[in-house]
Each structure stands twice: as structure tokens, then as C-alpha cells.
Amino acid sequence: MNYNLALTDDILLSIEKPERYIGNEVNSVTKDKSEVDIRFAFCFPDVYEIGMSHLGIQILYGMFNSYNDVWCERVYSPWTDMDALLRSKNIPLFALESQDPVKNFDFLGFTLQYEMCYTNILQILDLSGIPFMTKDRTWDDPIVIGGGPCTYNPEPIADFFDIFYIGEGETRYRELFDMYKKARRDGISREDFLHEVAKIPGMYVPSLFNISYKEDGTIDKIETVYDDIPSTVKKEMCLDLDEMFYPTKPVVPYIKITQDRVVLEVMRGCIRGCRFCQAGQLYKPLREKNVERLKKLALEALANTGYEEISLSSLSSSDYTQLPELIDFLIEHCNEKKINISLPSLRIDAFSLDVMSKVQDVKKSSLTFAPEAGTQRMRDVINKGLTEEDILRGSEQAFLGGWNKVKLYFMLGLPGETDEDILGIGDISNKIAALYYETLPKDKRNGRAIDIVASTSFFVPKPFTPFQWARMNTKEEFLDKANKTRKGIMAQINQKHIKYNWHEADASMMEGVLARGDRKLCKVILEAYKKGCIFDAWGEYFKFDVWMETFKECGVDPFFYTTRERSDDEIFPWDMIDCGVTKAFLLREWHTSQEGKKSSNCRQQCFGCGAAAYGVGVCKEGRNNA
């Protein structure tokens, strides 16, 4: 087929990284548009290098294009230089593969990974000439659908989306596409089509739900417009990962992206139950892929891409029961072909350190721990399942194995945190530094000193976690805690070997508002976008003062969503969604955390979270073992 670029050479040469916009990369898919019934533009609302690194889009892009009647293309947020150029020259936003305007597609799909990308959704709609509001769209506009973790509270952006797909995307899209084809063939209205879509499991159509409020601003009732649609939308989940589509021909970019490697997903879900972690609840229960299938997928993907690195993807790779066999296989294959193996999400134990020493050049790499809190009391509150003894034993083994760089990740502002917990961050960092010198005599250090980087992010309570009832700290509280952490580290004997970094407090506060907000935020987001808020996830473009001014003008109090602790019986904006884990279980865990008590992981004991209803994965293992 002919390949005509939407932009002329002189335009492409005038912008930064024109490769972001030309498409035609290795393994990208082109089809004859006259031979397909559905055209789907898939968008990651951030710059190309971030979006191209996302595994979820690669999976669904490959799956959609395996259908003869569907052509899926990609679109990303144009960077600021391209954004200005498209506006000044009135060039409509286009998809990469065909270079056709996004407005001409049947579907525009967004993956919603991070709340701070919400204004970029409006950028995409704006540049495409698609009305912002679902109520203003006709059949001349694409159906706008969102998926991903942020759809578990889609309310702050509910007015902008026709449909939210709740759960894992592999299960229901075929049904949706067939329903769309029938609707267009039968000539039914867009509104009637959306009414029918709301009957498909996992499909949340926000325009078909009415929200009423109490005088204090909390939600009084969530009701459906029609009696024949479910009042609760239950998440969709892959029951057999080995049967599901997985891309062995991912699109390979022209330029370096954030995750520039083959990604091999070994399992979904997690057994650990950290109380701050949203992903750990959303993707329950843990489901593993068969090791033989993973070996086959790895070899095919490496052959089809030419990548020189492969990364294992999961929430906690150490919990994959067939990891030793998979690692041995990859080491044997990758060593002979000079391919690097990347192992994120490993727990720091003897096995993991042994594996890392086999696959990494220890002189170049850092060892990463995520204690999350400075004291054992606080780690029990958040159910981290990591003791100081684990941390120090893992550090000692690492030092003996040749490591001398350690990265430590903590959170500030956790529920029930005290000054002692904050100062504990400097204390544990110092203990690790001291241990290095105790473990290695001078002649074994090769002249190298210990190098520790302690980083703190600010805690944001997320929906569908036990901490969804918790209050969030104010910006001032966060900065005060960061200052105490810094002073605590500076007071340590080994402080010259410890570097301290902390996250932006403004951005964390905004993330908290968007994470737990309701539909009143739709007008705030739209007005902030109109005032120039875009790429809020990028520190240099985040306009906190503009956001605060917009909240005031719209009569919305942002602190209502952040600094207020919720009552046990409050109706949350996201209560029409069922993530598979019951609210009663999460509330029980919230109360258990307030007592400072730990809970076991899913392989040790079932705590009745509700995920066993799916009858798969670790829940089924538990029943078999019983």
C-alpha cells in the first residue's frame, strides 16, 4: 500500500524527534482500510517514548490486528513543539500507521495508567476535532473508550468517555466489536448502542449512571438510568493466561524508549497484600503462565525484534514458582547470544541475589530494596512483609557478592506515621552502610565505598486498597516530613555515603485529588486544560497554581478529596465498580492496619478477599492444598 506522511519533510525537520510521528516501525501493522470493518486508534496519553514502553497496548494492538475485520493503529500525545505546530497549521491529529485523522476512526481507545495524564486526554480529543463531552458526540465521532488501572475510579473523567472497560482487555473486545458492527448495520442510534454496551460484562457506560449527593458533599446514591443494566460493573479477568494472545512481534521503535527491550509477562496478580498497593488488589488472584510457553514466547520475541535485552514482567517475580527453570533457560540462551536479562520486582533473598549475580554485571548495577517505611512497626501497619533482618541479611549477601550500590525506596505520609518512623529511614540507611564496612575487610573493597540512595515518595491513598478510607497529608505536612527525613539522614555517622531524594509534594497532592475524586472534577479538568495545563506528569510543565486557581473558580474544594478521613460506611465515587475484592475485606484490613497487625500472604492463608470467586490461580491452589 502507498505510505503518505501526514506531515511534510520541512515540518518534520523543524521538530524534535520526528521519528515519533512517522510510523512504519518494524512489526507495525498496515492493512487495506477498504477491507476492514472497524478502525481502532489506540492512545497512550503521553509522549511516544513513554507510550511505546507500555506492554498493555502491545498486547491489545497485536490481538486486535489478528482479527481480519479490525485495523488497530497507534497515537500518542504530540510533544509541546508538535502540539503548537498542529494547532498553528490546523493539521488534525493522525494515527501513526495510516497517517489518517483520528476523527475518522470508529473507536478511540485510551489506556489510563496515571491520573496526571488526564489533561492529555483532552489534548488528544481537541487536536482530533472530537467533542470533549460524550453528550455532544454523534456517529460522526469515534466511540471513546478507556481501560487500565485508572478506570477503577473513572469518575473525574466520566463526562469525556463513552465507555470504560473494567478489567483485563483480552476478554470482551470481540463482543464489543461485533455489537458495534451490528449497530451500524441496523442503523440504531448512538445512545441505543451505548445502552446495549452497558449489558456486556465489564463495560461501564458513565452516562447511564446518575449520582446524587448529600449536603456535606459525599455521595448519597448511585443509580442506573435503565433497569436492564447492571448496577455494579464487575471486572473482567483472564482465567487462563496461557490461552490468551501474547505479542511475539511487538512494534520496535526507531528511537530509544523508556523500556527498550523484549518484555516477558510471567504472571499477573500478587500474593503479598501490601495495604498501600492498588495493583496488588486489582489484579488478584495471582495467575502464573506455564514455563514452557514462556520459553517459546521469549525465543520468538527475541528473534522477531532483534532486541539485546529481555525483561521479566510481574508485580513480584520472586513469587513465580517456575522462576529457577525459566532463569536457567534464559541464561543458557541469552549468554550465547550476548542478550541481557533484566529482573525487576525481585525480593531480596539468597535465591534472587544468586540469580542477579548470574545475569548482571555487578560492577555496574545497583541493588534495589523497597522497605517502604523506616521502622518495623510501620512496615507491619502497611503489611509490607519485610523485616529489618531480611533487609540486613539481603544487604550482607549482596556485599559479599560484589555489590556496593544500594537504592532504597520509602513512602512518607503513611497512615499512623510518627516522627520515629520518619527518622527510621536514616537509621536503616545508616545500618546498611555500616554493615558494608563490617562485612567487607578493606582489602576486599577494591577501594570502593558504599553508595546508598534513599528516595521517598509521598503516600497517595488509592481506590480499592485498605487505605482508601485514610486521610492524605497536606503539601505542608509532606514537606515537613521530607525535611525531617533529610535531617535524620544528615545526623547519621555514614551520612556522607547516603544521598537523599524526594518527590514533588504538589504533584502528589494533585494525584490524590484525581485518584479519589468524583464527577465534580470533570469541569475542573476541562477548565484547567483550557488554561494550558498539559503534560502534568512532567515536572517542568505542571502548573500547580493554575490548578488551584481553577478549583477555586469552579467552586470545588480539592482538600475534600485528600485530607478527609472517610467513615466506614461512606459511599465512594467508584462503588459502582467491583474489582473482585470485597469492600468488607478491605475495611477489615483497614481496621487491622490501625491495630498495627500484619496479615499473611495468599499462599500462607486465605483471608477471604473475594477473589476466589473467579476460581483460578493461587485461590484454586489453596483449595487443592486444603
Side-chain angles (χ1 to χ4, degrees):
M1 61 183 288
N2 293 330
Y3 190 70
N4 297 313
L5 290 171
L7 303 174
T8 59
D9 288 355
D10 58 319
I11 289 176
L12 287 167
L13 290 170
S14 71
I15 55 171
E16 184 187 340
K17 299 187 181 177
E19 301 92 338
R20 290 168 171 159
Y21 311 105
I22 59 177
N24 214 23
E25 306 100 320
V26 171
N27 295 335
S28 61
V29 177
T30 51
K31 295 188 179 185
D32 185 333
K33 55 191 169 192
S34 67
E35 293 181 4
V36 297
D37 299 320
I38 291 174
R39 298 189 65 190
F40 193 109
F42 213 145
C43 178
F44 192 108
D46 205 329
V47 73
Y48 177 91
E49 292 92 313
I50 304 289
M52 273 292 288
S53 302
H54 180 56
L55 177 61
I57 284 189
Q58 293 274 17
I59 291 173
L60 293 182
Y61 176 86
M63 187 180 89
F64 292 172
N65 282 319
S66 73
Y67 303 149
N68 290 332
D69 58 343
V70 178
W71 184 12
C72 181
E73 305 182 41
R74 293 161 298 129
V75 60
Y76 304 102
S77 282
W79 193 239
T80 50
D81 57 345
M82 175 60 98
D83 178 289
L85 195 147
L86 293 175
R87 292 176 197 275
S88 67
K89 296 190 178 293
N90 289 318
I91 300 170
L93 185 63
F94 52 90
L96 295 188
E97 281 75 0
S98 65
Q99 303 273 298
D100 287 344
V102 170
K103 165 99 171 158
N104 298 347
F105 282 66
D106 299 290
F107 286 87
L108 170 57
F110 288 91
T111 183
L112 307 172
Q113 297 293 317
Y114 184 35
E115 294 85 355
M116 299 299 283
C117 292
Y118 285 172
T119 50
N120 281 52
I121 295 165
L122 300 183
Q123 174 207 29
I124 298 290
L125 295 172
D126 195 8
L127 292 173
S128 302
I130 299 167
F132 292 127
M133 303 292 193
T134 179
K135 65 182 173 63
D136 297 328
R137 295 181 195 134
T138 70
W139 272 133
D140 291 333
D141 302 300
I143 296 292
V144 179
I145 183 168
C150 290
T151 61
Y152 286 89
N153 178 23
E155 294 304 280
I157 47 174
D159 291 351
F160 314 131
F161 281 82
D162 301 315
I163 308 167
F164 290 102
Y165 184 124
I166 310 300
E168 296 172 353
E170 291 96 332
T171 62
R172 293 287 174 180
Y173 266 111
R174 183 66 264 178
E175 197 173 333
L176 177 65
F177 292 157
D178 290 341
M179 186 177 281
Y180 176 83
K181 284 165 65 171
K182 185 176 187 305
R184 300 313 304 264
R185 195 168 57 239
D186 295 350
I188 72 168
S189 70
R190 203 174 194 271
E191 292 71 24
D192 287 344
F193 166 67
L194 291 174
H195 182 180
E196 290 305 306
V197 167
K199 299 173 188 176
I200 300 176
M203 300 293 169
Y204 172 49
V205 178
S207 60
L208 302 186
F209 285 71
N210 287 329
I211 317 294
S212 54
Y213 296 88
K214 298 176 183 176
E215 281 187 24
D216 65 1
T218 61
I219 291 173
D220 182 33
K221 282 199 290 274
I222 300 173
E223 297 175 302
T224 57
V225 172
Y226 300 109
D227 292 336
D228 62 349
I229 65 171
S231 58
T232 304
V233 182
K234 188 168 184 177
K235 82 167 176 195
E236 279 297 296
M237 198 177 72
C238 299
L239 301 181
D240 186 346
L241 291 179
D242 290 322
E243 292 296 314
M244 293 296 165
F245 178 89
Y246 195 79
T248 55
K249 283 190 167 186
V251 181
V252 181
Y254 293 122
I255 56 175
K256 185 162 180 56
I257 60 173
T258 316
Q259 306 289 333
D260 213 10
R261 58 186 72 96
V262 165
V263 178
L264 189 66
E265 183 188 42
V266 298
M267 62 185 190
R268 286 187 193 169
C270 184
I271 61 171
R272 295 289 157 185
C274 298
R275 292 180 179 130
F276 57 85
C277 179
Q278 187 186 47
Q281 304 297 341
L282 298 186
Y283 299 107
K284 277 182 174 178
L286 178 140
R287 292 145 288 150
E288 295 192 353
K289 287 186 183 176
N290 181 275
V291 72
E292 295 305 322
R293 175 159 166 75
L294 289 174
K295 291 175 187 177
K296 185 170 178 287
L297 292 173
L299 295 183
E300 286 180 20
L302 287 167
N304 289 332
T305 58
Y307 274 125
E308 294 177 345
E309 184 169 350
I310 184 167
S311 174
L312 303 189
S313 169
S314 77
L315 292 174
S316 178
S317 299
S318 301
D319 293 322
Y320 178 59
T321 55
Q322 296 172 294
L323 189 63
E325 183 179 344
L326 180 60
I327 291 295
D328 288 345
F329 172 82
L330 289 176
I331 287 172
E332 184 183 345
H333 176 80
C334 294
N335 280 359
E336 91 193 34
K337 303 220 167 172
K338 304 279 191 290
I339 293 166
N340 293 327
I341 303 168
S342 170
L343 297 164
S345 310
L346 284 179
R347 292 176 77 79
I348 301 304
D349 54 28
F351 168 71
S352 301
L353 290 164
D354 180 53
V355 166
M356 283 189 278
S357 65
K358 286 179 188 171
V359 302
Q360 292 183 6
D361 180 347
V362 294
K363 295 183 185 67
K364 294 177 183 172
S365 67
S366 295
L367 196 66
T368 302
F369 289 97
E372 308 294 1
T375 63
Q376 195 55 49
R377 184 196 75 84
M378 199 71 233
R379 284 191 290 277
D380 290 347
V381 167
I382 64 176
N383 206 39
K384 179 61 187 173
L386 189 69
T387 65
E388 184 174 298
E389 187 186 349
D390 294 332
I391 296 166
L392 295 177
R393 192 191 312 115
S395 300
E396 181 181 26
Q397 290 168 339
F399 300 149
L400 291 169
W403 276 275
N404 74 314
K405 294 186 176 77
V406 178
K407 289 181 182 173
L408 299 169
Y409 290 103
F410 301 93
M411 278 187 284
L412 289 173
L414 289 160
E417 184 178 64
T418 65
D419 283 357
E420 186 182 344
D421 301 314
I422 294 166
L423 295 174
I425 292 172
D427 186 48
I428 190 75
S429 302
N430 185 65
K431 282 180 180 173
I432 292 170
L435 187 64
Y436 176 78
Y437 295 108
E438 290 168 21
T439 304
L440 290 183
K442 219 169 188 181
D443 58 322
K444 292 277 172 63
R445 295 177 207 154
N446 300 323
R448 299 186 302 171
I450 183 69
D451 180 7
I452 294 174
V453 178
S455 299
T456 56
S457 61
F458 295 126
F459 168 67
V460 178
K462 290 290 176 93
F464 295 106
T465 67
F467 289 158
Q468 63 184 348
W469 284 272
R471 75 175 289 272
M472 184 174 162
N473 284 183
T474 62
K475 172 187 170 181
E476 292 72 26
E477 286 171 322
F478 277 144
L479 292 175
D480 178 54
K481 290 179 176 187
N483 193 40
K484 284 176 181 172
T485 306
R486 184 179 58 80
K487 285 180 176 173
I489 286 172
M490 287 175 66
Q492 300 297 330
I493 293 170
N494 290 292
Q495 54 104 352
K496 66 179 181 181
H497 300 298
I498 307 168
K499 184 184 174 192
Y500 175 50
N501 299 323
W502 66 92
H503 192 60
E504 285 286 326
D506 289 343
S508 297
M509 179 258 171
M510 194 67 220
E511 184 186 337
V513 174
L514 297 175
R516 294 204 290 181
D518 54 26
R519 292 192 183 184
K520 295 171 196 167
L521 294 184
C522 292
K523 64 179 178 180
V524 180
I525 293 169
L526 181 56
E527 290 307 310
Y529 169 73
K530 287 177 179 176
K531 289 182 179 181
C533 289
I534 194 171
F535 285 107
D536 296 305
W538 297 73
E540 64 268 38
Y541 293 107
F542 178 49
K543 302 180 176 76
F544 184 69
D545 53 339
V546 175
W547 275 102
M548 290 302 104
E549 172 190 295
T550 309
F551 278 115
K552 195 171 179 184
E553 288 171 6
C554 293
V556 175
D557 176 11
F559 302 105
F560 175 79
Y561 304 106
T562 53
T563 57
R564 182 177 61 84
E565 185 169 312
R566 277 49 167 176
S567 64
D568 286 2
D569 59 354
E570 180 166 330
I571 296 173
F572 294 133
W574 51 89
D575 272 357
M576 75 291 286
I577 289 165
D578 176 358
C579 84
V581 173
T582 67
K583 194 173 183 180
F585 164 76
L586 295 172
L587 184 60
R588 214 160 58 233
E589 279 290 285
W590 168 232
H591 290 155
T592 305
S593 78
Q594 290 171 313
E595 294 165 11
K597 292 179 183 172
K598 298 181 288 184
S599 297
S600 305
N601 73 56
C602 297
R603 282 207 169 108
Q604 292 171 327
Q605 182 186 349
C606 176
F607 272 81
C609 73
Y614 287 95
V616 294
V618 73
C619 301
K620 194 174 168 189
E621 278 174 37
R623 281 210 296 276
N624 290 343
N625 294 338

